[in-house]
Amino acid sequence: MSEATTASEKTLMVLEAAMTHERFSEIVTAVHLPKATVHRILTTLVERDFIQVADGGAHVPGPKILSLAGIAYDRVDISTIVQPYIDDLVRRVQCTVHVGVRSGDEIIYLVRTDSDKPYRMPSRVGAAIPMHTSAIGKAILARLDDDAIESFVNRAGLPRRTARSLTTIEDLRAELADIRNDGYGFDREENVPGVVCIGMAVRDHTGHSNYGLSISSLALEHTEGQLAAMSGDLRKTAADITHALGGDR
């Protein structure tokens, strides 16, 4: 540990370690600080209700940290957090990029950022689209198990939006298997004729995939193979947004 490490930095290191390690010895090992220093910092954190010591000596989050976490989460503006990453992705792929969130059995667009192309996608922020006809929705569905997929289909149905929409659970299951293998899914003119997308799910701090992002284009401009070639850029942005939302890359 550098001698230049400040007292504030040491406190933050111990607090962070105490969020992921229960035992005093584990916390000491994680922060590489003297036991006496760690004990002194933990004592202060316990006194200030940031940490509690449970039965058996385990260190767990205290009421102060839980309260602050709730306040921080309520103040989170997803659109503001993701916008810089979306702007960068738009510059790299020169296509429209969407960010959506699952709301019940639909995807709601939270962000839409266009490229400099002369045309605009027929989408809008706040619009709701079926999960099974969108690249974002299918990427999120691919994270669910078979029972959850069956419940989704029984509950929401598979209504046809275009001639290319998936309308049977067998076709949906087959496509979700491909998405699990590839990490991304497609909208092959399944929601709007002439519009194609490649999408990927995004995890948040809970580890769940309730968000996703997609690159959208015209079928006349980009083939499925050309969209697939953008998957590396899409994957990087998804990982960056996952990290920004508190999830593991």
Side-chain angles (χ1 to χ4, degrees):
M1 181 63 58
S2 169
E3 294 181 359
T5 303
T6 66
S8 297
E9 290 172 327
K10 292 176 182 177
T11 299
L12 291 174
M13 289 165 57
V14 172
L15 177 60
E16 183 176 354
M19 293 295 99
T20 54
H21 299 82
E22 292 186 350
R23 301 298 170 186
F24 176 75
S25 59
E26 296 172 339
I27 297 171
V28 171
T29 300
V31 298
H32 304 290
L33 291 172
K35 290 183 179 180
T37 300
V38 175
H39 185 269
R40 183 180 70 253
I41 294 172
L42 281 175
T43 299
T44 300
L45 292 173
V46 170
E47 290 173 350
R48 298 295 298 271
D49 286 335
F50 283 91
I51 300 294
Q52 283 185 324
V53 181
D55 293 341
H59 293 80
V60 297
K64 177 68 72 174
I65 202 74
L66 295 175
S67 174
L68 290 174
I71 293 170
Y73 187 72
D74 286 341
R75 294 182 62 186
V76 167
D77 181 349
I78 299 297
S79 301
T80 300
I81 291 173
V82 306
Q83 194 64 60
Y85 305 105
I86 298 308
D87 290 341
D88 180 62
L89 180 59
V90 170
R91 283 192 294 269
R92 282 185 277 134
V93 300
Q94 284 300 298
C95 292
T96 295
V97 174
H98 295 94
V99 173
V101 61
R102 179 178 183 178
S103 177
D105 295 323
E106 297 178 311
I107 295 297
I108 307 294
Y109 284 137
L110 300 176
V111 175
R112 170 187 134 170
T113 302
D114 295 309
S115 67
D116 295 330
K117 298 290 177 63
Y119 60 81
R120 292 292 180 266
M121 294 292 111
S123 57
R124 61 177 175 81
V125 170
I129 56 177
M131 293 185 72
H132 74 288
T133 64
S134 68
I136 291 176
K138 286 190 283 186
I140 292 175
L141 285 173
R143 299 293 182 94
L144 304 180
D145 60 29
D146 287 342
D147 289 342
I149 297 299
E150 185 169 354
S151 294
F152 163 76
V153 173
N154 291 336
R155 192 172 57 245
L158 298 174
R160 185 184 298 278
R161 299 273 289 198
T162 74
R164 294 177 175 266
S165 300
L166 302 178
T167 57
T168 69
I169 192 170
E170 291 78 16
D171 287 342
L172 179 62
R173 287 189 192 279
E175 183 149 341
L176 296 183
D178 290 338
I179 295 172
R180 294 183 187 110
N181 183 61
D182 298 332
Y184 54 84
F186 293 102
D187 165 4
R188 302 176 175 91
E189 301 184 68
E190 297 162 56
N191 192 60
V192 177
V195 175
V196 292
C197 309
I198 180 173
M200 189 171 290
V202 171
R203 294 186 304 279
D204 61 17
H205 71 288
T206 68
H208 296 137
S209 297
N210 292 315
Y211 297 93
L213 73 156
S214 64
I215 299 170
S216 301
S217 185
L218 298 181
L220 292 174
E221 184 173 3
H222 287 100
T223 66
E224 185 172 318
Q226 289 170 325
L227 286 177
M230 302 178 190
S231 62
D233 289 313
L234 186 69
R235 193 183 307 277
K236 179 185 182 304
T237 303
D240 289 341
I241 292 175
T242 290
H243 180 69
L245 295 180
D248 294 329
R249 292 179 188 271

